[in-house]
């Protein structure tokens, strides 16, 4: 069957966007039907996704099904899917801020939202988690732009500037910013107790104190690959503690997000830039599914910034920063996240500057006789 889709870069991810209204009649809006479509379109069961449109990395094997919203104050709604690599399934349990950035630009280009001068505001709702986001797309001169000069850590390529704000991000999945009721807990690392903070803001996540496990959180991607399996074990233990996995079931590798945090230290980025310790506030290394994230997911960045506002978390202990803007040192460079409109120690608005570019419109030929 033929399926129309648009490939858009958002931040450091690439995401195929599907307009729900143009899906073939044989594909309905149920998760099972959509999963079958995506698994076959991406060639998900193949670890290199050779016979499909997937990018074969966690940051390029992403999809979103988008529709105009009937909800008051919301322009578009989207269902985000993290498509498997070497496994024929899709994880539906989380959100992706980079894909939201892509959707914001695409929504304006497609006419879901009319251009309103030099900046066009788009309100998005992620239906996986209920998260509501507000994007400001650069439409200077009253036009949608195909190219731009805004850059983000992780690529030197420019894109159209998009300011992305997560609205009321705390507790969207579990009902609490601290799902266990504590800002710090003990989980197991290599058979020994390790200090962690389990946070639900942007997305559920578990963050380990790097120093406590003999690490710095300034490790290279190659060094982080050696930590994938123990970090997965922590993720699965945390999933049960956070109520994200039913007893007796196997937790998935989409949520909670998992990573390590540490005090700032000098390091070299994957782009070859030298970063001094004084250039940022906290070092972070995260996994994306089962691989080291080459930068940081926006939902993870939001959660880390929110965790920094809570005294006693491993983030606050590593950063020593109490300002509204937290500078996060990632493998790709420094990402700044700004918290605003505080309700106690919880922000109602968390903003990150991003960039997006529409890469192509495509007519994808998808096998329709191969079961997902």
């Amino acid at each position: 069957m033929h399926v129309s889709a648009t490939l858009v870069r958002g931040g450091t991810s690439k995401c195929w966007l599907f307009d729900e209204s143009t899906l073939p009649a044989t594909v309905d809006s149920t998760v099972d039907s959509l999963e079958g479509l995506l698994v076959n379109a991406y060639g998900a069961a193949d670890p290199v996704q050779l016979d499909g449109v997937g990018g074969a990395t966690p940051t390029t094997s992403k999809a979103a099904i988008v529709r105009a919203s009937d909800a008051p104050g919301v322009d578009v709604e989207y269902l985000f899917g993290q498509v498997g690599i070497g496994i024929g399934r899709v994880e539906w349990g989380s959100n992706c801020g980079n894909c939201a950035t892509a959707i914001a630009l695409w929504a304006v280009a497609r006419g879901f939202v009319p251009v309103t001068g030099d900046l066009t505001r788009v309100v998005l709702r992620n239906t996986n988690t209920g998260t509501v986001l507000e994007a400001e797309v650069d439409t200077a001169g009253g036009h949608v732009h195909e190219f731009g000069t805004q850059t983000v850590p992780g690529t030197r390529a420019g894109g159209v500037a998009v300011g992305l704000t997560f609205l009321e991000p705390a507790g969207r999945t579990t009902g609490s910013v601290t799902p266990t009721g504590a800002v710090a807990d003990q989980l197991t690392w290599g058979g020994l107790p390790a200090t962690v903070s389990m946070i639900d803001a942007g997305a559920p996540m578990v963050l380990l104190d790097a120093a406590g496990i003999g690490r710095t959180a300034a490790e290279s991607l190659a060094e982080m690959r050696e930590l994938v399996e123990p970090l997965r074990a922590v993720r699965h233990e945390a999933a049960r503690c956070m109520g994200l996995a039913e007893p007796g079931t196997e937790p998935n590798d989409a949520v909670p997000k998992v990573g390590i945090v540490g005090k700032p230290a000098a390091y070299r980025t994957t782009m070859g830039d030298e970063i001094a310790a004084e250039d940022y506030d906290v070092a972070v290394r995260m996994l994306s599914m089962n691989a080291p994230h080459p930068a940081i997911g926006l939902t993870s960045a939001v959660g880390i910034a929110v965790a920094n506002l809570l005294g006693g978390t491993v983030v606050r202990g590593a950063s020593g920063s109490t300002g509204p803007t937290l500078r996060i040192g990632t493998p790709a460079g420094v990402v700044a996240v700004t918290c605003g409109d505080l309700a106690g120690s919880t922000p109602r608005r968390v903003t990150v500057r991003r960039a997006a570019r529409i890469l192509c419109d495509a007519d994808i030929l998808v096998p329709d006789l191969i079961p997902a």
Side-chain angles (χ1 to χ4, degrees):
M1 60 181 163
H2 292 246
V3 181
S4 298
T6 305
L7 184 61
V8 188
R9 176 174 73 84
T12 52
S13 294
K14 287 197 289 188
C15 190
W16 282 101
L17 306 183
F18 299 81
D19 182 342
E20 186 180 87
S21 69
T22 68
L23 291 176
T26 54
V27 178
D28 59 39
S29 58
T30 64
V31 166
D32 287 345
S33 181
L34 293 170
E35 185 155 345
L37 167 67
L38 295 178
V39 165
N40 291 330
Y42 280 57
D46 177 2
V48 296
Q49 296 184 337
L50 183 63
D51 194 40
V53 298
T57 72
T59 55
T60 59
S61 190
K62 299 184 173 190
I65 293 84
V66 191
R67 64 172 180 257
S69 176
D70 294 328
V74 178
D75 298 307
V76 294
E77 296 180 338
Y78 67 97
L79 179 68
F80 168 69
Q82 181 73 54
V83 183
I85 302 169
I87 184 168
R89 71 169 188 243
V90 178
E91 296 287 1
W92 301 101
S94 64
N95 185 20
C96 175
N98 278 321
C99 285
T101 303
I103 293 165
L105 174 61
W106 178 85
V108 178
R110 277 295 184 98
F112 280 78
V113 180
V115 173
T116 56
D118 291 338
L119 282 176
T120 299
R121 178 175 173 266
V122 182
V123 179
L124 312 97
R125 181 177 177 271
N126 169 244
T127 58
N128 309 68
T129 63
T131 298
V132 179
L133 307 99
E134 179 183 284
E136 286 191 331
V137 180
D138 177 12
T139 51
H143 302 290
V144 180
H145 300 287
E146 295 180 337
F147 303 97
T149 59
Q150 177 75 31
T151 59
V152 297
T155 175
R156 302 200 191 284
V160 178
V162 179
L164 189 68
T165 298
F166 290 70
L167 305 178
E168 304 278 4
R172 285 287 185 175
T173 300
T174 65
S176 173
V177 68
T178 52
T180 67
V183 292
D185 288 281
Q186 298 289 308
L187 295 181
T188 305
W189 176 273
L192 298 173
T195 302
V196 308
S197 291
M198 289 178 270
I199 301 294
D200 179 8
M205 64 196 66
V206 54
L207 306 166
L208 292 92
D209 171 38
I213 59 171
R215 301 299 191 274
T216 65
E219 280 80 7
S220 67
L221 294 180
E223 292 169 325
M224 282 298 298
R225 289 186 190 102
E226 300 175 3
L227 304 183
V228 169
E229 287 309 313
L231 284 173
R232 286 187 70 214
V234 170
R235 169 195 278 152
H236 294 170
E237 185 180 359
R240 296 183 177 94
C241 295
M242 300 170 76
L244 298 171
E246 295 293 332
T249 64
E250 182 66 21
N252 65 49
D253 284 309
V255 290
K257 311 291 185 184
V258 62
I260 59 178
V261 298
K263 294 183 181 296
Y267 70 99
R268 176 177 291 179
T269 72
T270 52
M271 306 294 290
D273 299 323
E274 299 292 340
I275 305 293
E278 58 268 24
D279 292 338
Y280 65 104
D281 302 309
V282 64
V284 176
R285 298 292 184 268
M286 302 290 297
L287 293 192
S288 177
M289 299 297 285
N290 294 323
H293 200 297
I296 189 171
L298 292 198
T299 53
S300 297
V302 167
I304 289 162
V306 172
N308 189 62
L309 298 176
L310 303 174
T313 64
V314 297
V315 179
R316 181 69 163 271
S319 78
S321 171
T322 58
T325 297
L326 184 71
R327 300 170 302 166
I328 302 173
T330 80
V334 178
V335 174
V337 185
T338 301
C339 295
D341 193 10
L342 295 183
S345 57
T346 303
R348 294 191 176 97
R349 299 174 63 88
V350 182
T351 301
V352 190
R353 298 299 305 176
R354 304 309 282 167
R357 189 169 82 81
I358 296 174
L359 303 177
C360 73
D361 286 309
D363 182 35
I364 304 173
L365 300 180
V366 182
D368 55 1
L369 299 178
I370 302 174

